[in-house]
């Protein structure tokens, strides 16, 4: 698939004048722990940066206190906190009657992996059985998935692994992934009946229907902590506005990489951090529209 500015402009969700916050969707992000509060912030605010109407961060109190100081734009939904300062499976009680309110759900950024988050993840997957709401699984969500007995994922699931995470999901060495990335990303789509975003220097996007895209934007500025969290939020933000899983993934990786290129012109590839990248998403979109 060829991605140029004309096609990107065509994919970008329209912004009708007669609109309100509900017009542009509501994303639910289940993320963060006492160890990784920044990941929860990055993966929430980036959904809003690409035009999502509302983004709710569901997490433990420790995370929400930090994120509330970073941005007043993110809606905060407290979940029961475990003694390890991670979300507890009991936190699903707060979510059970709210899941239908969201156009997309993401889980995993900075979540941590312990018995509490694993229990939460497994119960959430079961709760989403039979539903059509798109689900993005990233970071620690992928690590949990690779280590637990989940028989099937919900329809419209996106997995966003880097090579090490994909190696765990597929049960092969990282060297195998790197030597045949196209083969393994397609195998992942087949195994999990999903869209897969394999984060490489040229990120690959594929889905279970056989669609495939190789991204050519980006540079080494993306090799900073938090970059993947931002990508996860961007994908969620575009899905909330009506794009399908494959379109949202392709558009996000393109703009994510282009943002790094534009940021690097001002800050260099050495110094353009993920927190800087957030400020370049609007500038990148402006070059397209």
């Amino acid at each position: 698939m060829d991605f140029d500015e004309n096609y990107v402009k065509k994919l970008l969700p329209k912004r009708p004048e007669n609109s309100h916050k509900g017009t542009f969707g509501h994303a639910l992000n289940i993320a963060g722990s006492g160890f990784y509060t920044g990941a929860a912030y990055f993966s929430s605010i980036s959904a809003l940066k690409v035009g999502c109407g509302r983004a709710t961060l569901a997490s433990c109190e420790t995370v929400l206190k930090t994120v509330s100081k970073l941005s007043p734009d993110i809606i905060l939904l407290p979940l029961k906190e475990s003694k390890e300062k991670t979300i507890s499976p009991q936190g699903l009680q707060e979510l059970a009657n709210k899941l239908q309110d969201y156009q997309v759900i993401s889980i995993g950024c900075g979540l941590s992996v312990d018995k509490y988050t694993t229990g939460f993840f497994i119960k959430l997957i079961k709760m989403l059985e039979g539903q059509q709401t798109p689900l993005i699984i990233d970071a620690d969500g992928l690590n949990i998935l690779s280590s637990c007995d989940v028989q099937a994922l919900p329809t419209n699931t996106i997995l966003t692994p880097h090579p090490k995470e994909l190696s765990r999901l597929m049960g092969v060495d990282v060297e195998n992934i790197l030597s045949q990335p196209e083969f393994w990303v397609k195998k992942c789509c087949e195994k999990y009946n999903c869209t897969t975003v394999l984060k490489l220097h040229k990120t690959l996007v594929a889905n279970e229907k056989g669609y495939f895209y190789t991204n050519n934007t980006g540079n080494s500025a993306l090799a900073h902590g938090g970059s993947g969290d931002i990508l996860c939020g961007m994908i969620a933000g575009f899905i909330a506005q009506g794009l399908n899983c494959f379109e949202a993934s392709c558009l996000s990786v393109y703009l994510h990489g282009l943002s790094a290129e534009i940021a690097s012109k001002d800050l260099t590839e050495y110094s353009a951090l993920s927190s800087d990248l957030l400020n370049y998403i609007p500038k990148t979109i402006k070059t397209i529209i």
Side-chain angles (χ1 to χ4, degrees):
M1 178 182 297
D2 293 325
F3 250 60
D4 56 24
E5 287 192 6
N6 289 330
Y7 188 63
V8 170
K9 187 173 183 178
K10 181 180 179 181
L11 271 186
L12 277 173
K14 301 298 183 289
R15 305 289 295 184
E17 290 186 10
N18 184 17
S19 59
H20 52 83
K21 61 188 178 183
T23 305
F24 305 111
H26 193 171
L28 172 66
N29 184 30
I30 304 167
S33 64
F35 311 102
Y36 303 109
T37 55
Y41 168 70
F42 284 145
S43 52
S44 300
I45 197 68
S46 54
L48 298 174
K49 287 282 188 178
V50 298
C52 181
R54 289 176 288 173
T56 289
L57 171 62
S59 192
C60 53
E61 197 68 36
T62 299
V63 173
L64 299 186
K65 286 180 179 179
T66 299
V67 172
S68 67
K69 296 175 183 177
L70 295 172
S71 174
D73 300 292
I74 300 168
I75 301 168
L76 307 177
L77 177 58
L79 301 180
K80 187 172 180 60
E81 184 171 315
S82 75
K83 62 181 181 180
E84 302 296 333
K85 296 189 182 302
T86 58
I87 58 173
S88 165
Q90 296 176 356
L92 276 171
Q93 296 174 5
E94 286 84 9
L95 281 176
N97 297 321
K98 296 183 175 72
L99 292 178
Q100 68 277 5
D101 297 336
Y102 307 103
Q103 281 67 58
V104 59
I105 300 168
S106 55
I107 183 170
C109 296
L111 199 65
S112 294
V113 179
D114 60 23
K115 64 180 182 181
Y116 304 105
T117 56
T118 298
F120 184 100
F121 181 88
I122 293 172
K123 289 183 178 180
L124 176 68
I125 296 301
K126 291 181 179 178
M127 190 177 293
L128 292 174
E129 284 181 359
Q131 296 193 26
Q132 299 296 312
T133 305
L135 173 68
I136 307 167
I137 304 177
D138 188 34
D140 283 330
L142 297 169
N143 293 329
I144 294 171
L145 177 61
S146 65
S147 64
C148 67
D149 185 26
V150 172
Q151 299 299 318
L153 295 175
T155 304
N156 298 321
T157 291
I158 302 174
L159 305 182
T160 58
H162 56 57
K164 182 62 175 178
E165 290 165 341
L166 185 59
S167 74
R168 296 190 190 108
L169 290 169
M170 302 307 295
V172 299
D173 294 335
V174 176
E175 289 73 19
N176 287 341
I177 301 296
L178 294 176
S179 64
Q180 302 181 80
E182 294 188 8
F183 172 82
W184 287 109
V185 76
K186 292 175 181 177
K187 281 293 184 183
C188 185
C189 295
E190 293 172 7
K191 178 178 179 180
Y192 291 101
N193 193 36
C194 68
T195 297
T196 303
V197 179
L198 176 57
K199 294 178 284 192
L200 298 165
H201 71 288
K202 290 187 176 181
T203 293
L204 305 179
V205 182
N207 69 6
E208 73 283 6
K209 297 178 181 178
Y211 290 94
F212 195 89
Y213 167 63
T214 301
N215 187 59
N216 289 307
T217 63
N219 56 30
S220 67
L222 296 176
H224 285 109
S227 173
D229 304 317
I230 291 174
L231 177 61
C232 178
M234 292 174 72
I235 296 171
F238 283 128
I239 291 176
Q241 294 173 80
L243 270 65
N244 65 42
C245 292
F246 185 76
E247 291 173 338
S249 298
C250 293
L251 179 59
S252 295
V253 298
Y254 179 90
L255 293 176
H256 185 247
L258 189 57
S259 296
E261 292 178 9
I262 295 174
S264 297
K265 291 178 181 178
D266 292 336
L267 304 173
T268 76
E269 292 183 36
Y270 294 91
S271 302
L273 304 180
S274 295
S275 54
D276 298 313
L277 195 63
L278 289 171
N279 297 322
Y280 281 86
I281 294 173
K283 296 179 182 180
T284 301
I285 293 176
K286 190 175 181 179
T287 67
I288 304 298
I289 60 176

